[in-house]
Amino acid sequence: MPHELPKAYDPTAIEDHWAAYWVRENLFAQPTPTAGDASGEPFTILLPPPNVTGRLHMGHMLNQTEMDILTRWQRMSGRRALWLPGTDHAGIATQMMVERQLASEGKNRQEMGREAFIDRVWEWKRHYGGAILDQMKRLGASVDWQREYFTLDERLSVAVREAFVRLYEQDMIYRGAYIVNWCPRCQTAISDLEVVYDEHKGHLWEIKYPVLGNDGQETGEFLTIATTRPETMLGDVAVAIHPEDERYLHLHGKKLKLPLLEGDKAREIPIILDDWVSRDFGTGAVKVTPAHDPNDFALGQRHHLPSINVMDDAAHINAEGGKYAGLDRFAARRRIVEDLEALGLLVAVKDHTHNVGHCDRCKTVVEPRLSLQWFVKIQPLADRAIAAVKDGHIKFTPEMYEKTYLNWMENIHDWCISRQLWWGHRIPAWHCSTCHKVTVARVDPSACAHCGAAMLTQETDVLDTWFSSGLLPVSVFGWPNLTSENISDFDTFYPTSLLVTGFDILFFWVARMIMLGCWFAGDVPMSDGSARDLKDSVPFREVYIHALVRDANREKMSKTKGNVIDPIEIVKQYGTDAVRFTLAAMASPGTDIAFNVDRTEGYRAFANKIWNAARFLFMNVTRAREAGFRIDSKNISKGITQDLSSPLESQWIVHQFNLTIALVNAALEDYRFDEAASYIYKFVWHNFCDWYLEGIKLRLTFDADVSVDANVSIHMLLAVFEGSLRLLSPFMPFLTEELWWALHEDNPPLKSIGLARFPEFSSQLVNIRAETTFSEIQDLVTSIRELRKSLLIGDNETTPVEIHVITSPESTNIEEAFRNNTDLLRRYVRISDVNFKSAPLHGPQVRHTPNFDVAVVYERTPDVHSERERLTKDIAKYEKGMAAAERQLGNEGFVAKAPAHIVEGLKKQAAETQLLLEKARAALAALPPE
RNA sequence: GGGCGGUUAGCUCAGUUGGUUAGAGCGCCUGCCUUACAAGCAGGAUGUCGGGGGUUCAAGUCCCUCACCGCCCACCA
């Protein structure tokens, strides 16, 4: 144990070593349970799988820190903890990344072909895909690396395919032509969630369409429509007006000529009547373009109108656009506006601010566009997902997210799950070129299921990435192939205990997991063969949603703003533990975290403080051994007892430690990382270091015969410090691991402190008497220090003090504690004689507390001016307190209705305040003039 | 348009089911190399709890209202 530690803690010197050790030794692996395995109750948690394209950012680090704290805490508390990591193939993002790489080589995927391109993506993935998990390893995340998965792994792909086929068989998947959000750059459909809307200052163009008479000739009258996307008029099939709009009553039944399109594309379009049209927007007349607008599509359905798609996959105008064919949509817009103006059909261009949808991934303006896609019928899934939450089988923290979730789920639309990408799970459907029907199958079919023809081509679309990640809670535990070997994984670890995530993927992922989990797990029988009810079908029992990490100025971190804090950089600078502690301490629910390195600096200091406490301890162990004391490092973990014959500070620190355990446990139960962190901080720094260590110096004298207190004290010191390391370990795994090994002279009872037991609260360790008497000693010490300061007594000067303990029910204890601990007092403050007086003390060198008066005997008196200031301020404070107390106590309602302990407490406090007030007044009056 | 959150010390934030005179860290001021730690020790200053109204014996805490900041959902062409 005589460990030579450097004077200052240097995290970089130890962290890499421990991070590698934890991974190498597989310390946190949680193997598939075997029969009769009596390990603790499972605590299962899935890592929200980062994208393979991802680089670790502060949000990840917050997320991982919280999960790691909880997992380590649960593991140390005896639960069978499994934290399961993996990565997501991230369809669009990854494909984009590789396409960009290809572009820099002057290539593109189309000329490469699908297979070669996919090979290339795999190669990319092998090369870069592990980056984020490597970073995670470096941060010490206590995950089971042996279970690491990738969403395109064979076994997870089987699950995806099974899920698709099953839903299809259950008539829950259909294919059809609907308006979807289309990204012209990614050239794929995207779901509603993948569209982000930005406010955009655009225009509202008012265009007049010629009205046709019954003879088909222009009547000279016009109907003016308003649009924000003039180019879509090429696909217009009608103009809609409100049936009761008095301005247009005479146009009912009439047709219009669609301007611009000539020759074989020229067309007449009807004026249709629909309540949906709002009379006060624009001109009250709406062009109807079913192929390019969701509302128009609905309108088209109601009125049996055709849909004319005028754009290709890249949002260039197609052949339907006549002379505009080939133009990009925005170029077409400009040209069309020019042409309309030339024709005199452009009535007005008005400024109009509206929301424009952009592709979440590449920020391209999305184009609502009619296309053939695969959809999941969502209502049956949503019904279960709603019930699961409403019935309390899934609990959200903070609670408000339950409302958000339900609100979304209750207004959900069918889910477009097909993507026109190459990277992803290819949809297991085959098109028959003979009968044109679709065959969906678990194994690649050789013949059409409908007509038997062999001319099958597989669907080229892949599935939305969230379809596979939505299945993770079931698929990672072996579903659908639940053999006897992996059924126990499923039995043991499903439902998972908790999901920790940010609200940004509440709908993308959390909601989908709930829907898919409830749907598919519901079919898996319980281990005893009985049917699984909804309660046990949910993918997780609790969801903890954390805040966003912002920069120190509360700005959202973004690459464009250049204010992104790289966690790895900060970690290098301050140490992982300090950064973890910062995140934990600032993670109060419902509020975003303004990440400020000033705080991290403070927690680095905290780590250093602990380091130095350890140095102090080792130093004393060495001294003790040199003096012949026997200290066996094997006995350290024997446990802590409350020894009523031990010195006061030892009894007190055991009591405080015990109390802190209870507080930390309670805080973590409620995901109050901030509270847990602050209880630990306060205990370690302000109780353990400031008071206990300073006090114990008195006992740690290892000269020959003064042995009893020294022996008791050094062992108590070791035990409490070791316990504190375990308490702190989930928050600061590196530092605590290092010191724990040092404490055990590199021969600890377990391979890691992370496998040791978390301290447990024990009512046996409660010691109220030690708490109250020590707290009086603290008051006494503080009063004397304050007095000495005001008397300008040098820090090295020793002075006598006088104490008068005020008569009260506790005063015997207090006086006894003071008398018995004068030597301890001398450790805390430079005093010589301590004289107890039976009469109250007065004068400028006295301080008053509710329980005692204390005077420092010194020839000098305090500075009259500052003394007057202090007393005046005190008096004001006391008077304010008295006024408040009298007001309340004089109020009959209060005395009659308030609980007795409140009234009694106030009375007692008022009496004390009155006393202090009188003393302060007297002291002020006694002050000599300045 | 609908919904939600926030506003407490110079800064960043706590503040349990309403209960005695509102807290922490950082920063600031003063004094200290006290043999674990200057990344330290000791002491100190700092608040009309966003404004207004109400309920209550009692409001930072509950209700109403206004203001400002932020987020989510919807997408009326």
Side-chain angles (χ1 to χ4, degrees):
Chain A
M1 192 154 12
H3 236 81
E4 281 302 319
L5 298 181
K7 196 166 165 181
Y9 174 51
D10 176 13
T12 55
I14 66 155
E15 290 189 351
D16 284 328
H17 162 251
W18 289 119
Y21 171 80
W22 293 329
V23 174
R24 190 172 66 240
E25 296 287 324
N26 262 312
L27 290 185
F28 307 115
Q30 192 57 262
T32 297
T34 50
D37 184 337
S39 306
E41 186 196 341
F43 175 80
T44 321
I45 184 164
L46 288 193
L47 174 76
N51 289 354
V52 272
T53 56
R55 302 286 300 174
L56 194 91
H57 56 64
M58 268 301 172
H60 291 124
M61 187 157 177
L62 171 67
N63 186 246
Q64 292 173 15
T65 297
E66 291 177 343
M67 280 187 280
D68 199 37
I69 288 171
L70 292 172
T71 308
R72 285 177 179 271
W73 170 61
Q74 295 282 10
R75 184 184 294 115
M76 292 179 77
S77 301
R79 288 180 69 175
R80 185 203 296 262
L82 169 60
W83 181 13
L84 211 154
T87 42
D88 193 294
H89 67 277
I92 296 182
T94 314
Q95 180 158 328
M96 258 176 75
M97 200 72 105
V98 177
E99 281 184 309
R100 208 177 291 158
Q101 206 180 49
L102 286 176
S104 70
E105 300 165 17
K107 299 185 201 158
N108 67 56
R109 71 180 160 104
Q110 284 78 12
E111 66 188 34
M112 269 179 104
R114 186 165 187 147
E115 239 170 86
F117 178 76
I118 289 174
D119 286 347
R120 176 68 186 253
V121 184
W122 275 107
E123 191 191 311
W124 184 93
K125 188 258 172 188
R126 274 189 293 276
H127 213 80
Y128 304 104
I132 202 161
L133 294 187
D134 287 344
Q135 290 174 313
M136 198 175 165
K137 284 174 186 158
R138 172 59 186 76
L139 297 180
S142 68
V143 304
D144 180 353
W145 291 108
Q146 302 209 306
R147 288 177 181 262
E148 181 185 333
Y149 64 83
F150 178 54
T151 47
L152 282 177
D153 283 348
E154 177 58 25
R155 123 191 123 82
L156 299 191
S157 301
V158 167
V160 168
R161 188 151 174 178
E162 174 67 23
F164 184 93
V165 174
R166 223 181 263 195
L167 287 171
Y168 186 81
E169 288 170 350
Q170 292 164 341
D171 206 21
M172 297 275 292
I173 283 183
Y174 62 95
R175 187 179 189 231
Y178 295 90
I179 291 277
V180 293
N181 300 294
W182 184 270
C183 173
R185 199 224 59 87
C186 302
Q187 302 201 3
T188 177
I190 54 180
S191 76
D192 295 350
L193 284 175
E194 289 164 293
V195 178
V196 288
Y197 289 91
D198 275 341
E199 200 163 84
H200 177 253
K201 282 182 185 151
H203 301 287
L204 195 59
W205 285 274
E206 294 186 2
I207 303 163
K208 54 185 189 180
Y209 289 9
V211 177
L212 299 177
N214 293 335
D215 55 359
Q217 295 302 307
E218 295 188 19
T219 60
E221 195 185 353
F222 296 94
L223 178 56
T224 304
I225 57 91
T227 181
T228 54
R229 294 188 296 154
E231 68 282 7
T232 61
M233 68 184 285
L234 300 173
D236 282 2
V237 295
V239 168
I241 54 175
H242 194 276
E244 284 145 34
D245 193 330
E246 292 178 1
R247 291 170 295 178
Y248 303 129
L249 289 174
H250 66 290
L251 294 177
H252 289 191
K254 294 269 198 292
K255 290 194 167 183
L256 302 167
K257 174 172 188 328
L258 183 62
L260 303 180
L261 288 175
E262 305 296 342
D264 63 330
K265 299 298 176 202
R267 66 179 177 269
E268 297 177 357
I269 56 175
I271 293 172
I272 60 170
L273 310 176
D274 201 289
D275 287 346
W276 172 81
V277 178
S278 82
R279 278 171 277 187
D280 40 356
F281 187 88
T283 61
V286 198
K287 60 194 271 311
V288 179
T289 322
H292 291 281
D293 184 279
N295 291 309
D296 294 8
F297 182 75
L299 219 47
Q301 299 267 299
R302 282 204 290 281
H303 296 269
H304 308 290
L305 298 168
S307 297
I308 303 175
N309 189 337
V310 297
M311 289 185 205
D312 66 12
D313 290 355
H316 291 101
I317 304 299
N318 64 19
E320 292 293 340
K323 64 175 176 177
Y324 301 100
L327 287 178
D328 170 78
R329 52 188 165 155
F330 298 118
R333 176 180 300 176
R334 279 193 297 276
R335 182 78 66 78
I336 283 170
V337 169
E338 283 167 21
D339 290 353
L340 288 169
E341 194 165 17
L343 290 168
L345 296 174
L346 186 64
V347 178
V349 183
K350 294 179 174 164
D351 287 340
H352 179 62
T353 303
H354 60 134
N355 287 329
V356 175
H358 297 262
C359 172
D360 192 23
R361 279 290 149 207
C362 70
K363 311 305 172 204
T364 305
V365 173
V366 298
E367 199 63 39
R369 180 170 177 260
L370 187 67
S371 69
L372 199 53
Q373 302 290 345
W374 295 83
F375 295 86
V376 173
K377 235 182 249 177
I378 212 75
Q379 203 55 56
L381 292 164
D383 288 344
R384 278 198 205 179
I386 289 166
V389 170
K390 277 196 174 165
D391 296 353
H393 304 314
I394 297 175
K395 186 185 145 216
F396 282 87
T397 305
E399 274 175 29
M400 60 164 174
Y401 286 107
E402 178 176 321
K403 243 191 260 175
T404 313
Y405 165 89
L406 287 173
N407 186 48
W408 185 80
M409 202 58 97
E410 281 160 359
N411 295 293
I412 198 165
H413 300 293
D414 282 357
W415 176 15
C416 174
I417 50 169
S418 48
R419 296 291 181 275
Q420 288 65 50
L421 301 173
W422 288 351
W423 177 243
H425 299 277
R426 198 159 169 181
I427 291 180
W430 282 260
H431 302 286
C432 175
S433 54
T434 308
C435 72
H436 302 294
K437 286 187 174 164
V438 169
T439 300
V440 167
R442 287 177 177 79
V443 286
D444 295 7
S446 54
C448 174
H450 308 281
C451 72
M455 295 295 285
L456 293 177
T457 46
Q458 188 177 359
E459 170 62 56
T460 52
D461 290 356
V462 300
L463 288 164
D464 180 5
T465 302
W466 299 104
F467 187 88
S468 57
S469 42
L471 288 166
L472 285 170
V474 292
S475 60
V476 292
F477 298 121
W479 185 89
N481 295 315
L482 298 176
T483 61
S484 58
E485 184 189 299
N486 58 25
I487 183 90
S488 62
D489 260 353
F490 195 93
D491 283 344
T492 309
F493 299 117
Y494 194 92
T496 66
S497 314
L498 171 69
L499 182 76
V500 179
T501 189
F503 60 79
D504 49 331
I505 52 173
L506 181 60
F507 306 136
F508 275 118
W509 193 47
V510 181
R512 266 83 177 258
M513 279 192 288
I514 297 176
M515 289 191 285
L516 295 172
C518 291
W519 194 258
F520 291 113
D523 295 338
V524 179
M526 301 294 285
S527 53
D528 62 7
S530 63
R532 186 176 292 263
D533 58 19
L534 190 56
K535 173 175 154 286
D536 292 311
S537 302
V538 297
F540 27 76
R541 303 203 183 279
E542 294 197 29
V543 181
Y544 173 72
I545 293 181
H546 61 239
L548 208 66
V549 185
R550 296 165 175 275
D551 76 0
N553 301 317
R554 304 199 58 73
E555 299 270 343
K556 218 167 180 169
M557 292 190 199
S558 81
K559 279 181 201 153
T560 45
K561 267 188 252 171
N563 62 343
V564 175
I565 303 171
D566 178 1
I568 299 292
E569 281 305 308
I570 302 287
V571 157
K572 277 184 191 158
Q573 218 173 328
Y574 298 99
T576 309
D577 289 335
V579 184
R580 285 171 62 113
F581 210 86
T582 308
L583 291 168
M586 298 187 79
S588 39
T591 323
D592 285 347
I593 294 176
F595 189 89
N596 192 335
V597 290
D598 290 353
R599 287 289 287 266
T600 311
E601 219 164 291
Y603 294 124
R604 178 185 59 177
F606 180 51
N608 189 54
K609 186 79 181 170
I610 297 160
W611 183 260
N612 276 291
R615 290 180 62 224
F616 171 81
L617 180 152
F618 292 135
M619 187 189 89
N620 279 288
V621 168
T622 306
R623 286 173 57 214
R625 283 187 175 156
E626 281 166 4
F629 279 74
R630 197 169 172 274
I631 293 170
D632 188 347
S633 64
K634 287 199 173 52
N635 292 335
I636 298 170
S637 311
K638 267 191 171 170
I640 299 167
T641 51
Q642 187 58 274
D643 176 359
L644 296 182
S645 65
S646 65
L648 177 61
E649 77 281 354
S650 280
Q651 296 183 44
W652 174 79
I653 199 67
V654 168
H655 173 83
Q656 291 296 336
F657 177 60
N658 192 44
L659 212 61
T660 306
I661 295 166
L663 291 169
V664 169
N665 275 315
L668 288 178
E669 289 289 351
D670 291 339
Y671 309 112
R672 291 302 305 259
F673 302 96
D674 58 329
E675 285 185 357
S678 108
Y679 289 133
I680 292 177
Y681 182 91
K682 186 164 185 237
F683 169 74
V684 171
W685 199 313
H686 299 301
N687 290 337
F688 187 84
C689 292
D690 287 352
W691 289 95
Y692 174 63
L693 285 191
E694 287 309 316
I696 203 180
K697 285 174 181 171
L698 168 72
R699 322 290 173 191
L700 300 178
T701 47
F702 299 101
D703 328 318
D705 42 293
V706 206
S707 56
V708 179
D709 278 356
N711 195 30
V712 167
S713 292
I714 187 106
H715 282 96
M716 189 61 80
L717 169 62
L718 283 164
V720 174
F721 188 71
E722 193 272 346
S724 304
L725 289 179
R726 281 182 284 120
L727 184 71
L728 181 64
S729 173
F731 296 81
M732 294 191 152
F734 290 99
L735 173 68
T736 52
E737 186 81 293
E738 176 76 14
L739 293 179
W740 196 69
W741 278 67
L743 207 52
H744 289 95
E745 306 185 300
D746 291 333
N747 186 24
L750 296 157
K751 288 173 104 172
S752 167
I753 190 172
L755 301 176
R757 288 304 290 258
F758 200 71
E760 280 172 51
F761 173 83
S762 161
S763 54
Q764 306 285 307
L765 301 184
V766 172
N767 188 334
I768 300 297
R769 183 168 171 154
E771 183 184 42
T772 49
T773 50
F774 196 82
S775 138
E776 287 302 325
I777 287 189
Q778 288 177 308
D779 278 356
L780 180 60
V781 168
T782 309
S783 301
I784 297 172
R785 282 173 178 167
E786 212 177 293
L787 262 174
R788 286 168 53 94
K789 202 82 169 180
S790 71
L791 291 166
L792 303 174
I793 298 174
D795 284 11
N796 292 326
E797 219 171 327
T798 304
T799 46
V801 294
E802 292 175 347
I803 299 169
H804 163 71
V805 176
I806 296 161
T807 310
S808 76
E810 301 90 43
S811 57
T812 328
N813 284 343
I814 294 169
E815 181 153 350
E816 190 187 304
F818 287 171
R819 283 183 189 275
N820 291 343
N821 287 288
T822 49
D823 45 357
L824 187 60
L825 288 173
R826 287 193 191 95
R827 265 307 316 172
Y828 291 128
V829 60
R830 292 293 178 97
I831 50 176
S832 49
D833 298 340
V834 182
N835 297 307
F836 289 89
K837 302 285 181 185
S838 52
L841 305 174
H842 302 285
Q845 295 148 340
V846 180
R847 280 287 184 283
H848 306 285
T849 80
N851 289 321
F852 59 82
D853 300 337
V854 58
V856 169
V857 182
Y858 199 63
E859 73 276 11
R860 197 153 49 221
T861 53
D863 174 67
V864 175
H865 179 69
S866 48
E867 203 49 12
R868 173 166 287 124
E869 262 185 10
R870 181 181 69 81
L871 288 166
T872 309
K873 203 172 266 177
D874 279 355
I875 289 168
K877 189 176 74 183
Y878 296 144
E879 281 173 342
K880 191 179 154 210
M882 281 313 295
E886 278 165 5
R887 197 171 53 241
Q888 288 199 67
L889 289 169
N891 184 325
E892 284 175 27
F894 172 75
V895 180
K897 293 183 187 173
H901 74 277
I902 298 290
V903 179
E904 285 313 306
L906 186 61
K907 275 184 185 161
K908 186 175 172 220
Q909 188 179 26
E912 285 172 5
T913 305
Q914 182 62 37
L915 198 63
L916 292 173
L917 177 60
E918 281 162 16
K919 288 180 179 177
R921 278 180 179 149
L924 184 65
L927 276 184
E930 280 181 55

